Amino acid sequence: MPAVEVVQLLVSPVHRYMGRPSDGPSPAHDGELVARAEVRANLGLVGDRYYARPAHRDAAVTLMAAENLPVDIDPDVDLRQARRNVLLRGVDIDALVGETVSLDTGAGPVLLAVRRPARPCAWMDAVIGPGAQRALRGKGGVRCTPLTDGVLTVGPAEFEVVPPSPPG
């Protein structure tokens, strides 16, 4: 199994990208990047803007591959601009739509159903730089439903695709 790392975790209580990109983002909330995030089954990350929101229950947690950040456009880009929750290094998460994955950072596995791509929006060009939206097409991360409670932390992780349960 290849080495996987949780590079960053973002838990933000506020939406920063509302209105028109030309108006600029809302101010950042202190403490958005965290070392530890609590996950609740079918609800999301405790304290996050999508936590327990009915419209986002099937997409409450977003994962992104660090290898896909457009560092050629902005070498300092991270989750604060991309607005995803979990930045992973060492796994092509975008290829796993439709799968269930297990992510264990040491406190036990957290199961996540990978539901759909997290499509980049026009805000990416405004906050990362021109061309970022296009650079992230097809690799902007994935939206997931957390299936179990647990804790995620920054650092080394065990990652696996969970085989489907046999019918019956």
Side-chain angles (χ1 to χ4, degrees):
M1 178 169 28
V4 172
E5 176 187 7
V6 174
V7 179
Q8 287 183 317
L9 293 167
L10 182 130
V11 177
S12 179
V14 297
H15 293 277
R16 294 200 49 226
Y17 301 163
M18 295 184 292
R20 295 182 186 152
S22 60
D23 295 335
S26 300
H29 183 271
D30 287 340
E32 289 181 319
L33 291 178
V34 297
R36 178 183 185 277
E38 290 183 49
V39 182
R40 294 290 173 258
N42 298 306
L43 297 174
L45 301 178
V46 175
D48 191 66
R49 63 205 178 279
Y50 294 123
Y51 183 77
R53 302 272 178 159
H56 295 282
R57 289 235 173 108
D58 71 337
V61 177
T62 53
L63 309 180
M64 184 175 189
E67 294 84 354
N68 292 336
L69 286 172
V71 294
D72 55 328
I73 296 171
D74 179 353
D76 297 322
V77 65
D78 64 22
L79 290 183
R80 289 172 291 191
Q81 293 83 32
R83 305 309 288 169
R84 307 301 187 241
N85 299 115
V86 182
L87 188 62
L88 299 172
R89 178 173 287 124
V91 62
D92 181 5
I93 195 66
D94 295 280
L96 299 175
V97 171
E99 301 285 356
T100 297
V101 299
S102 172
L103 184 60
D104 187 344
T105 59
V110 174
L111 295 180
L112 300 154
V114 183
R115 300 290 188 202
R116 64 182 186 264
R119 295 191 184 358
C121 64
W123 276 100
M124 298 299 97
D125 284 354
V127 297
I128 297 171
Q133 181 182 14
R134 182 175 35 253
L136 287 169
R137 280 194 192 127
K139 48 189 175 174
V142 293
R143 299 189 182 283
C144 304
T145 303
L147 302 176
T148 58
D149 291 350
V151 173
L152 297 175
T153 57
V154 171
E158 292 181 21
F159 180 92
E160 67 178 318
V161 176
V162 178
S165 299

